[in-house]
Amino acid sequence: MTLTALDYGIILVFFLAVITIGIVVSKKSGKSSSEFFLSGRNMPWWLLGFSMVATTFSTDTPNFVTDVVRKDGVSGNWIWWAFLITGLLTVFVYAKLWRKSNVETDMEFYELRYGGKPAKFLRGFRSVYLGLAFNVLAMAGVTLAAIKIGQVMLGLTSLEVVGIAGTVTVFFSAVGGFRGVIYTDFLLFFVAMAGSIGAAYYLVNLPEVGGMTELMTHENVQGKLAMLPSWSDKEKFITILIIPLAVQWWSSWFPGAEPGGGGYIAQRMLAAKNENHAVGATFFFNVMHYALRPWPWIIVALASLVIFPDIASIQTAFPNVEESKLGHDLAYSAMLTMLPAGLLGLVLASLGAAYMSTISTHLNWGSSYIVHDFYKQHINKNASEKELVRVGRLSTVVLMIISTIVALLLNHATQLFDIIIMFGAGTGLVFIMRWFWSRINAWSEITAMFVSGIISILVNFTFIGTWLFGEKVDNVFHEGVFVAWMQYPFVVFATTVCWLLVTFLTPKEKNEVLFNFYKKTQPGGPGWKKVIKAAKDQNIDIVENKEAWTVPTGILAVLVGTVAVYGALFTTGKFIYGEYQNAGLFLMITLLAAFTLLFLWRKLKGKVF
């Protein structure tokens, strides 16, 4: 593939703009650790919302969606569409609570909610566990996608890709801090959206594809179009739709979709001007992330089935690609090589934007854990603000190096999704309930974290998993004690039973800790009645808001919001498919749900304007 001067010009202007923003805000970002990691807590909802969307618009996402569509069809996306429920629960229940907590990172939450040595251990260990281990895995997946794009579209080696992309991104991240990330995300969002929509429009109208009508009727595509899996394939129906909607969304920790909020989404909520801005940002993110943004990628994935029907055809077209990197996810990059001059430059710039936005967010987020929750707590408690910023910048570089090494060892986009989902299985309920059930203590979370990891290793990498759930050898499946799709629910059930037992077998948190937490966050609900009574008995008033508990209304808003966003998802899809009658029906459902949601939002006193 040959780039023209126009393509190079577009790419150069984009990268210069990003680096300039990083340099301009570097002085203010370096003033304190709060500025470097939270930009002074004065960000508006719309800027944070665009940043959330841009951050999850990573280079591995279109590759991942392409992999899913080519293997399981459009309906295969329910394995991540189900996380919408998690996202809306964060919007209408947890966003305000996070902003009220006023912590520097979501890891600091542990010493607000829990007390004593278990809380200190949990904060320190989990900051390394998530900020280093899981964060590195997430970044490695993004970098792997960049490697595949570079190999297919530019003919670069793996080392050349990570050398160029990694150096620019780590420089920008270390210099600009969180403020630089937020400001550039606003630019990156529009560049990335223009690139993905432009690519989808051009590629679907290639002579080989023949436009949307021809694409919809092509024999390679017809079996992939359904937005819901067929009941005729019961195992696929259960694994792709039922388990994600019934179990996965509330039970598993996943970056950007943590039950109860957390991670880089929590970082942005904590940086908001106030509670309502935190709510507005997360709602805007969920609408854009689930309802609108996936469709350009899905269209390209479907078109790729016409031009590259299998992996062998991709390998034939791109013989220089390393064999270890071959997979269905490579089809997205392969399709982009067919773009014309100008649009090609814009798409490459958009992919660069996606890469930089996601990696810079993960670097700043992971670095915030290392600085606030590990270095300051366990290495130097008296560190100055300038020292904390220096450590933040150094840890940014180290995280980039480690994630690059891991990326070079990976093969395809779905590997990391499966690993992260399984290792977080069963922990989600703790994150949801810890705000509203005072009996949960630090040992509950410690147990959930370790048991989930241990059981996941046993069922995935030892004979125990083979004995329980069977295995596939030479395309022949050998049955186990349970059916294969029960593996994930098994991990969730075992983990949940263990942490619940430990919760009741260990002492509850001290009243002083619980009083302080309740007074600061005001979670409300029946799970705190004993704590409120204990405070009254000691003549301590911890209830500031005497109004009715808003969580039931928030949960109703989650249900209505889910209908509205899924309705918008189906409306968009049906219009694209040319099924205008069905699209009109889903549009009516979407509008009805949206007006109902507006009423509920007002009851929750939501206001961001």
Coordinates of all heavy atoms in Angstrom, one line a residue, residues 3-73:
L3 N 1.2 5.4 0.4 CA 0.6 6.6 0.9 C 1.1 7.8 0.0 O 2.2 7.9 -0.4 CB 1.1 6.9 2.4 CG 0.6 5.8 3.4 CD1 1.2 6.2 4.8 CD2 -0.9 5.8 3.5
T4 N 0.1 8.7 -0.2 CA 0.4 9.9 -1.0 C 0.9 11.0 -0.1 O 0.8 10.9 1.2 CB -0.8 10.3 -1.8 OG1 -1.8 10.7 -0.9 CG2 -1.3 9.2 -2.7
A5 N 1.3 12.1 -0.7 CA 1.7 13.3 0.1 C 0.5 13.8 0.9 O 0.7 14.3 2.0 CB 2.2 14.4 -0.9
L6 N -0.7 13.7 0.3 CA -1.9 14.1 1.0 C -2.1 13.3 2.3 O -2.4 13.9 3.4 CB -3.1 14.0 0.1 CG -4.5 14.4 0.8 CD1 -4.5 15.9 1.2 CD2 -5.6 14.2 -0.3
D7 N -1.9 12.0 2.2 CA -2.1 11.1 3.4 C -1.1 11.5 4.5 O -1.4 11.6 5.6 CB -1.9 9.7 3.0 CG -3.0 9.2 2.0 OD1 -4.1 9.6 2.2 OD2 -2.6 8.5 1.0
Y8 N 0.2 11.6 4.0 CA 1.2 12.0 5.0 C 1.0 13.3 5.6 O 1.2 13.5 6.8 CB 2.6 12.0 4.3 CG 3.2 10.6 4.1 CD1 3.4 10.1 2.8 CD2 3.5 9.8 5.2 CE1 4.0 8.9 2.6 CE2 4.1 8.6 5.0 CZ 4.3 8.1 3.7 OH 4.9 6.8 3.6
G9 N 0.4 14.3 4.9 CA 0.1 15.6 5.4 C -0.9 15.6 6.5 O -0.8 16.2 7.5
I10 N -2.0 14.8 6.2 CA -3.1 14.7 7.2 C -2.6 14.0 8.5 O -2.9 14.5 9.6 CB -4.2 13.8 6.6 CG1 -4.9 14.6 5.4 CG2 -5.3 13.5 7.7 CD1 -5.9 13.8 4.7
I11 N -1.8 13.0 8.3 CA -1.3 12.3 9.5 C -0.3 13.2 10.3 O -0.4 13.3 11.5 CB -0.5 11.0 9.1 CG1 -1.5 10.0 8.5 CG2 0.2 10.4 10.3 CD1 -0.9 8.8 7.8
L12 N 0.5 13.9 9.6 CA 1.5 14.8 10.3 C 0.8 15.9 11.0 O 1.1 16.3 12.2 CB 2.4 15.4 9.2 CG 3.5 16.4 9.7 CD1 4.4 15.6 10.7 CD2 4.3 16.9 8.6
V13 N -0.2 16.6 10.4 CA -1.0 17.7 11.0 C -1.6 17.2 12.3 O -1.6 17.8 13.4 CB -2.0 18.3 10.1 CG1 -3.0 19.2 10.8 CG2 -1.3 19.0 9.0
F14 N -2.2 16.0 12.2 CA -2.9 15.4 13.4 C -1.9 15.2 14.5 O -2.2 15.6 15.7 CB -3.6 14.1 13.0 CG -3.9 13.2 14.2 CD1 -5.0 13.6 15.0 CD2 -3.2 12.1 14.5 CE1 -5.3 12.8 16.1 CE2 -3.5 11.4 15.6 CZ -4.5 11.7 16.4
F15 N -0.8 14.5 14.3 CA 0.2 14.3 15.4 C 0.8 15.5 15.9 O 1.0 15.6 17.1 CB 1.3 13.3 14.9 CG 0.8 11.9 14.9 CD1 0.6 11.2 13.7 CD2 0.7 11.2 16.1 CE1 0.1 9.9 13.8 CE2 0.3 9.9 16.1 CZ 0.0 9.2 15.0
L16 N 1.0 16.5 15.1 CA 1.6 17.8 15.6 C 0.5 18.5 16.5 O 0.9 19.1 17.5 CB 1.9 18.7 14.4 CG 3.2 18.3 13.6 CD1 3.3 19.3 12.4 CD2 4.4 18.4 14.5
A17 N -0.7 18.4 16.1 CA -1.8 19.0 17.0 C -1.8 18.4 18.3 O -1.9 19.0 19.4 CB -3.2 18.9 16.3
V18 N -1.8 17.0 18.4 CA -1.8 16.3 19.6 C -0.6 16.6 20.5 O -0.8 16.9 21.7 CB -1.9 14.8 19.4 CG1 -1.7 14.0 20.7 CG2 -3.2 14.4 18.8
I19 N 0.6 16.6 19.9 CA 1.8 16.9 20.7 C 1.8 18.4 21.2 O 2.2 18.6 22.3 CB 3.0 16.6 19.9 CG1 3.2 15.1 19.6 CG2 4.3 17.1 20.5 CD1 4.2 14.8 18.6
T20 N 1.3 19.3 20.4 CA 1.2 20.7 20.8 C 0.3 20.8 22.0 O 0.6 21.6 23.0 CB 0.6 21.5 19.6 OG1 1.5 21.4 18.5 CG2 0.5 23.0 20.1
I21 N -0.9 20.2 22.0 CA -1.8 20.2 23.2 C -1.1 19.7 24.4 O -1.2 20.4 25.5 CB -3.1 19.4 22.9 CG1 -3.9 20.1 21.8 CG2 -3.9 19.3 24.2 CD1 -5.1 19.3 21.3
G22 N -0.4 18.6 24.3 CA 0.4 18.1 25.4 C 1.4 19.0 26.0 O 1.5 19.2 27.2
I23 N 2.1 19.7 25.1 CA 3.2 20.6 25.6 C 2.5 21.9 26.2 O 3.0 22.4 27.2 CB 4.1 21.0 24.4 CG1 4.9 19.8 23.9 CG2 5.0 22.2 24.8 CD1 5.6 20.1 22.6
V24 N 1.4 22.4 25.6 CA 0.8 23.6 26.1 C 0.3 23.4 27.5 O 0.4 24.3 28.4 CB -0.4 24.0 25.2 CG1 -1.2 25.1 25.8 CG2 0.2 24.5 23.9
V25 N -0.3 22.2 27.8 CA -0.9 22.0 29.1 C 0.1 21.4 30.1 O -0.3 21.2 31.3 CB -2.2 21.1 29.1 CG1 -3.2 21.6 28.1 CG2 -1.8 19.7 28.6
S26 N 1.3 21.1 29.7 CA 2.3 20.4 30.6 C 2.6 21.2 31.8 O 2.7 20.6 32.9 CB 3.6 20.2 29.8 OG 4.2 21.4 29.4
K27 N 2.7 22.5 31.7 CA 3.1 23.3 32.9 C 2.0 23.3 34.0 O 2.3 23.1 35.2 CB 3.3 24.8 32.5 CG 3.8 25.7 33.6 CD 4.1 27.1 33.1 CE 4.7 27.9 34.3 NZ 5.0 29.3 33.8
K28 N 0.7 23.4 33.6 CA -0.4 23.3 34.5 C -0.5 21.9 35.1 O -0.8 21.7 36.3 CB -1.7 23.8 33.9 CG -2.8 24.1 34.9 CD -3.9 24.8 34.3 CE -5.0 25.2 35.4 NZ -6.1 26.0 34.8
S29 N -0.3 20.9 34.2 CA -0.5 19.5 34.7 C 0.6 19.1 35.7 O 0.4 18.2 36.5 CB -0.4 18.6 33.5 OG -1.5 18.8 32.6
G30 N 1.7 19.8 35.6 CA 2.8 19.4 36.5 C 2.8 20.1 37.8 O 3.7 19.9 38.7
K31 N 1.8 21.0 38.1 CA 1.8 21.7 39.3 C 1.6 20.8 40.6 O 2.1 21.1 41.6 CB 0.6 22.8 39.3 CG 1.0 24.0 38.4 CD -0.1 25.0 38.5 CE 0.2 26.3 37.8 NZ -0.8 27.3 37.8
S32 N 0.7 19.8 40.4 CA 0.4 18.9 41.5 C -0.1 17.6 41.0 O -0.4 17.5 39.8 CB -0.7 19.6 42.4 OG -1.9 19.6 41.8
S33 N -0.1 16.6 41.9 CA -0.6 15.3 41.5 C -2.1 15.4 41.2 O -2.6 14.6 40.3 CB -0.4 14.3 42.6 OG -1.0 14.7 43.8
S34 N -2.9 16.3 41.8 CA -4.3 16.4 41.5 C -4.5 16.9 40.1 O -5.4 16.5 39.4 CB -5.0 17.3 42.6 OG -6.3 17.5 42.3
E35 N -3.7 17.9 39.7 CA -3.7 18.4 38.4 C -3.3 17.3 37.4 O -3.9 17.2 36.3 CB -2.8 19.6 38.2 CG -3.4 20.9 38.8 CD -4.5 21.5 37.9 OE1 -4.7 21.0 36.8 OE2 -5.3 22.4 38.4
F36 N -2.2 16.6 37.7 CA -1.7 15.6 36.8 C -2.7 14.4 36.5 O -2.8 13.9 35.4 CB -0.4 15.0 37.3 CG 0.4 14.2 36.3 CD1 1.1 14.8 35.3 CD2 0.4 12.8 36.3 CE1 1.8 14.1 34.3 CE2 1.1 12.1 35.4 CZ 1.8 12.7 34.4
F37 N -3.4 14.1 37.6 CA -4.3 12.9 37.5 C -5.8 13.2 37.4 O -6.6 12.4 37.0 CB -4.1 11.9 38.6 CG -2.7 11.3 38.7 CD1 -1.8 11.6 39.7 CD2 -2.3 10.5 37.6 CE1 -0.5 11.0 39.7 CE2 -1.0 9.9 37.6 CZ -0.1 10.2 38.6
L38 N -6.2 14.4 37.8 CA -7.7 14.8 37.8 C -8.0 16.1 37.3 O -9.1 16.6 37.3 CB -8.2 14.7 39.3 CG -8.3 13.3 39.9 CD1 -8.8 13.3 41.3 CD2 -9.2 12.4 39.1
S39 N -7.0 16.8 36.8 CA -7.1 18.1 36.1 C -7.9 19.1 37.0 O -8.7 19.9 36.5 CB -7.8 18.0 34.8 OG -9.1 17.6 34.9
G40 N -7.6 19.1 38.3 CA -8.2 20.0 39.2 C -9.7 19.8 39.6 O -10.3 20.7 40.2
R41 N -10.3 18.7 39.1 CA -11.7 18.4 39.4 C -12.6 19.5 39.0 O -13.6 19.9 39.7 CB -11.9 18.2 40.9 CG -11.1 17.0 41.6 CD -11.5 16.9 43.0 NE -10.7 16.0 43.8 CZ -11.0 14.7 43.9 NH1 -12.0 14.2 43.3 NH2 -10.2 13.9 44.6
N42 N -12.4 20.1 37.8 CA -13.3 21.1 37.3 C -13.8 20.9 35.9 O -14.1 21.8 35.2 CB -12.6 22.5 37.4 CG -11.4 22.6 36.5 OD1 -11.0 21.6 35.9 ND2 -10.9 23.8 36.4
M43 N -13.8 19.7 35.4 CA -14.2 19.4 34.1 C -15.7 19.3 33.8 O -16.4 18.7 34.7 CB -13.5 18.0 33.6 CG -12.0 18.1 33.4 SD -11.7 19.1 32.0 CE -9.9 19.4 32.1
P44 N -16.2 19.8 32.7 CA -17.7 19.8 32.4 C -18.1 18.4 31.9 O -17.2 17.6 31.4 CB -17.8 20.8 31.4 CG -16.5 20.9 30.7 CD -15.5 20.6 31.7
W45 N -19.3 18.1 32.0 CA -19.8 16.7 31.6 C -19.6 16.4 30.1 O -19.2 15.3 29.8 CB -21.3 16.6 31.9 CG -22.2 17.5 31.0 CD1 -22.5 18.8 31.2 CD2 -22.7 17.1 29.7 NE1 -23.3 19.3 30.1 CE2 -23.4 18.2 29.2 CE3 -22.7 15.9 29.0 CZ2 -24.1 18.2 28.0 CZ3 -23.4 15.9 27.8 CH2 -24.1 17.0 27.3
W46 N -19.7 17.4 29.2 CA -19.6 17.1 27.8 C -18.2 16.8 27.4 O -17.9 15.9 26.6 CB -20.1 18.3 27.0 CG -19.5 19.6 27.2 CD1 -19.9 20.5 28.2 CD2 -18.3 20.1 26.6 NE1 -19.0 21.6 28.2 CE2 -18.1 21.4 27.2 CE3 -17.5 19.6 25.6 CZ2 -17.0 22.2 26.8 CZ3 -16.5 20.4 25.2 CH2 -16.2 21.7 25.7
L47 N -17.2 17.4 28.0 CA -15.8 17.2 27.7 C -15.4 15.8 28.3 O -14.7 15.0 27.6 CB -14.9 18.3 28.3 CG -13.5 18.4 27.8 CD1 -13.5 18.6 26.3 CD2 -12.8 19.6 28.5
L48 N -15.9 15.5 29.5 CA -15.6 14.2 30.1 C -16.3 13.1 29.3 O -15.8 12.0 29.1 CB -16.0 14.1 31.5 CG -15.2 15.0 32.5 CD1 -15.9 15.1 33.9 CD2 -13.8 14.5 32.6
G49 N -17.5 13.3 28.8 CA -18.3 12.4 28.0 C -17.6 12.0 26.7 O -17.4 10.9 26.4
F50 N -17.1 13.0 26.0 CA -16.4 12.8 24.8 C -15.1 12.0 25.1 O -14.7 11.2 24.3 CB -16.0 14.1 24.1 CG -17.1 14.7 23.2 CD1 -17.7 15.9 23.5 CD2 -17.5 14.0 22.1 CE1 -18.7 16.4 22.7 CE2 -18.5 14.5 21.3 CZ -19.1 15.7 21.6
S51 N -14.5 12.3 26.2 CA -13.2 11.6 26.6 C -13.5 10.2 26.9 O -12.7 9.3 26.4 CB -12.6 12.3 27.8 OG -11.4 11.6 28.2
M52 N -14.6 9.8 27.5 CA -14.9 8.4 27.8 C -15.1 7.7 26.5 O -14.7 6.5 26.3 CB -16.2 8.4 28.7 CG -16.0 8.8 30.1 SD -17.6 8.7 31.0 CE -17.2 9.5 32.5
V53 N -15.8 8.3 25.6 CA -16.1 7.7 24.3 C -14.8 7.5 23.5 O -14.5 6.4 23.0 CB -17.1 8.5 23.4 CG1 -17.4 7.7 22.1 CG2 -18.4 8.7 24.2
A54 N -14.0 8.5 23.5 CA -12.7 8.4 22.7 C -11.8 7.4 23.3 O -11.1 6.7 22.6 CB -12.0 9.8 22.7
T55 N -11.8 7.3 24.6 CA -10.9 6.3 25.3 C -11.2 4.9 24.9 O -10.4 4.1 24.7 CB -11.0 6.5 26.8 OG1 -10.4 7.8 27.2 CG2 -10.3 5.4 27.6
T56 N -12.5 4.6 24.8 CA -12.9 3.2 24.5 C -12.9 3.0 23.0 O -13.3 1.9 22.5 CB -14.3 2.9 25.1 OG1 -15.2 4.0 24.7 CG2 -14.3 2.9 26.6
F57 N -12.6 4.0 22.2 CA -12.5 3.9 20.8 C -11.1 3.6 20.4 O -10.3 4.3 19.8 CB -12.8 5.3 20.2 CG -13.2 5.2 18.7 CD1 -14.2 6.1 18.2 CD2 -12.6 4.4 17.8 CE1 -14.6 6.1 16.9 CE2 -13.0 4.3 16.5 CZ -14.0 5.2 16.0
S58 N -10.6 2.4 20.9 CA -9.2 2.0 20.7 C -9.0 1.3 19.4 O -9.9 0.8 18.8 CB -8.8 1.2 21.9 OG -9.6 0.0 22.1
T59 N -7.7 1.1 19.1 CA -7.4 0.4 17.9 C -7.8 -1.1 17.9 O -8.1 -1.7 16.8 CB -5.9 0.5 17.6 OG1 -5.2 0.2 18.8 CG2 -5.5 1.8 17.1
D60 N -7.9 -1.6 19.1 CA -8.3 -3.1 19.1 C -9.8 -3.2 19.1 O -10.3 -4.3 18.8 CB -7.7 -3.7 20.4 CG -8.3 -3.1 21.7 OD1 -8.7 -1.9 21.7 OD2 -8.5 -3.9 22.7
T61 N -10.6 -2.2 19.3 CA -12.0 -2.3 19.3 C -12.6 -2.7 17.9 O -13.4 -3.7 17.8 CB -12.7 -1.1 19.8 OG1 -12.1 -0.7 21.1 CG2 -14.2 -1.4 20.1
P62 N -12.3 -2.0 16.8 CA -12.8 -2.4 15.5 C -12.3 -3.8 15.1 O -13.0 -4.6 14.5 CB -12.3 -1.3 14.6 CG -11.2 -0.6 15.3 CD -11.5 -0.7 16.7
N63 N -11.0 -4.1 15.5 CA -10.5 -5.5 15.3 C -11.3 -6.5 16.0 O -11.6 -7.6 15.5 CB -9.0 -5.6 15.7 CG -8.1 -4.8 14.7 OD1 -8.5 -3.8 14.1 ND2 -6.9 -5.2 14.6
F64 N -11.6 -6.2 17.3 CA -12.4 -7.1 18.1 C -13.8 -7.3 17.6 O -14.2 -8.5 17.5 CB -12.4 -6.6 19.6 CG -13.4 -7.3 20.5 CD1 -13.0 -8.6 21.0 CD2 -14.6 -6.8 20.8 CE1 -13.9 -9.2 21.8 CE2 -15.5 -7.5 21.6 CZ -15.2 -8.7 22.1
V65 N -14.4 -6.2 17.2 CA -15.8 -6.3 16.6 C -15.8 -7.1 15.3 O -16.6 -8.0 15.1 CB -16.4 -4.9 16.4 CG1 -17.7 -5.0 15.6 CG2 -16.6 -4.2 17.8
T66 N -14.7 -6.9 14.5 CA -14.6 -7.7 13.3 C -14.4 -9.1 13.5 O -15.0 -10.0 12.9 CB -13.4 -7.1 12.5 OG1 -13.6 -5.7 12.2 CG2 -13.2 -7.9 11.2
D67 N -13.6 -9.5 14.5 CA -13.4 -10.9 14.9 C -14.7 -11.5 15.3 O -15.0 -12.6 14.9 CB -12.4 -10.9 16.1 CG -11.7 -12.3 16.2 OD1 -11.8 -13.1 15.3 OD2 -11.1 -12.5 17.3
V68 N -15.5 -10.8 16.1 CA -16.8 -11.3 16.6 C -17.7 -11.5 15.5 O -18.4 -12.6 15.4 CB -17.3 -10.4 17.7 CG1 -18.8 -10.7 18.0 CG2 -16.5 -10.4 19.0
V69 N -17.9 -10.5 14.6 CA -18.9 -10.6 13.5 C -18.5 -11.7 12.5 O -19.4 -12.4 12.1 CB -18.9 -9.2 12.8 CG1 -19.8 -9.3 11.5 CG2 -19.5 -8.1 13.7
R70 N -17.3 -11.8 12.2 CA -16.9 -12.8 11.2 C -17.1 -14.3 11.8 O -17.4 -15.2 11.1 CB -15.4 -12.6 10.8 CG -15.2 -11.4 9.9 CD -13.8 -11.2 9.6 NE -13.1 -12.3 8.9 CZ -13.0 -12.4 7.6 NH1 -13.5 -11.4 6.8 NH2 -12.4 -13.4 7.0
K71 N -16.9 -14.4 13.1 CA -17.1 -15.7 13.7 C -18.5 -16.0 14.1 O -19.1 -17.1 13.8 CB -16.2 -15.8 15.0 CG -14.7 -15.9 14.7 CD -14.0 -16.0 16.0 CE -12.5 -16.0 15.8 NZ -11.7 -16.0 17.1
D72 N -19.2 -15.1 14.8 CA -20.5 -15.3 15.3 C -21.6 -14.5 14.8 O -22.8 -14.5 15.3 CB -20.5 -15.2 16.9 CG -19.5 -16.2 17.5 OD1 -19.6 -17.4 17.1 OD2 -18.8 -15.8 18.4
G73 N -21.3 -13.6 13.8 CA -22.3 -12.7 13.3 C -22.5 -11.5 14.1 O -21.9 -11.3 15.2

